[in-house]
């Protein structure tokens, strides 16, 4: 169902559950009270976020479970040929929307953090270089409730397509 599902095929990863597109993280809402695991990460692409994934985040906020959604803003629905995301969405719009939904913290990680002008993100949203990804994830897992790590990077498959077409 997307890049985030392909991790289940990767050796050495501890990926235990998967769900339909748009339901990422929702199984944790039911599992969390019955496990010693304190926190999980759930991957969500920007296209899925736009068409239905925001509902999964809303459910996690309502259930007050400890989860960090890692939203990949890769500006393409790469698994099905590189179409643009169905609607108008930007990193700032995603960050503001999830903050308005009640997530406890939003942090942006990018391989090009300097591309954002001052005040691009509102509120206390911090921007980090991807070299700091491990430290950011460790910070996020300690925050009670639902958090969002917004990762901004064009996906590798889409970069390859664009290079091939001379559009990168």
């Amino acid at each position: 169902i997307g890049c985030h599902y392909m991790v289940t095929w990767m050796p050495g990863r501890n990926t235990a559950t998967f769900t339909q597109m748009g339901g990422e993280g929702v199984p944790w809402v039911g599992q969390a009270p019955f496990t010693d695991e304190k926190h999980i990460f759930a991957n969500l692409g920007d296209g899925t976020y736009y068409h239905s994934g925001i509902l999964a985040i809303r459910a996690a906020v309502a259930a007050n479970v400890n989860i960090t959604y890692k939203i990949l803003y890769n500006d393409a629905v790469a698994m099905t040929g590189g179409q643009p995301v169905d609607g108008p969405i930007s990193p700032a719009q995603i960050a503001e929307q999830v903050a308005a939904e009640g997530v406890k913290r939003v942090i942006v990680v990018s391989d090009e953090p300097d591309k954002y002008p001052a005040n691009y993100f509102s509120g206390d949203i911090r921007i980090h270089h991807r070299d700091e990804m491990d430290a950011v994830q460790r910070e996020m897992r300690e925050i009670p409730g639902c958090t969002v790590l917004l990762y901004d990077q064009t996906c590798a498959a889409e970069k390859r397509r664009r290079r091939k077409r001379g559009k990168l």
Side-chain angles (χ1 to χ4, degrees):
I1 59 172
C3 302
H4 59 279
Y5 178 76
M6 293 188 324
V7 73
T8 62
W9 306 328
M10 299 171 78
R13 304 290 175 114
N14 187 12
T15 302
T17 65
F18 59 92
T19 188
Q20 84 283 354
M21 193 171 183
E24 293 80 359
V26 174
W28 181 244
V29 170
Q31 292 170 336
F34 303 102
T35 179
D36 291 332
E37 194 70 40
K38 293 183 178 18
H39 174 273
I40 68 160
F41 290 92
N43 296 320
L44 187 62
D46 53 355
T48 302
Y49 167 85
Y50 185 78
H51 76 63
S52 60
I54 183 62
L55 299 174
I57 293 171
R58 189 176 291 159
V61 168
N64 197 34
V65 294
N66 298 331
I67 184 171
T68 298
Y69 278 92
K70 292 167 48 176
I71 301 174
L72 173 61
Y73 183 84
N74 63 2
D75 80 11
V77 182
M79 287 296 292
T80 56
Q83 299 88 353
V85 173
D86 286 335
I89 197 77
S90 70
Q93 288 171 315
I94 293 171
E96 289 175 24
Q97 186 174 27
V98 296
E101 292 290 344
V103 301
K104 303 296 184 186
R105 178 152 321 139
V106 180
I107 296 179
V108 178
V109 175
S110 175
D111 58 343
E112 301 175 274
D114 296 333
K115 73 180 179 181
Y116 298 113
N119 300 319
Y120 178 81
F121 293 102
S122 62
D124 63 349
I125 297 169
R126 300 188 333 252
I127 306 167
H128 292 269
H129 190 275
R130 75 175 183 188
D131 292 344
E132 300 172 68
M133 180 70 135
D134 186 60
V136 169
Q137 289 180 120
R138 289 176 187 277
E139 175 185 343
M140 297 296 260
R141 75 178 181 199
E142 299 302 321
I143 300 168
C146 182
T147 58
V148 168
L149 190 163
L150 179 58
Y151 187 81
D152 178 10
Q153 181 180 357
T154 304
C155 85
E158 190 56 26
K159 281 183 177 180
R160 185 179 63 250
R161 277 189 201 98
R162 291 177 187 173
R163 275 190 201 103
K164 210 171 169 182
R165 297 174 185 156
K167 295 180 178 184
L168 184 62

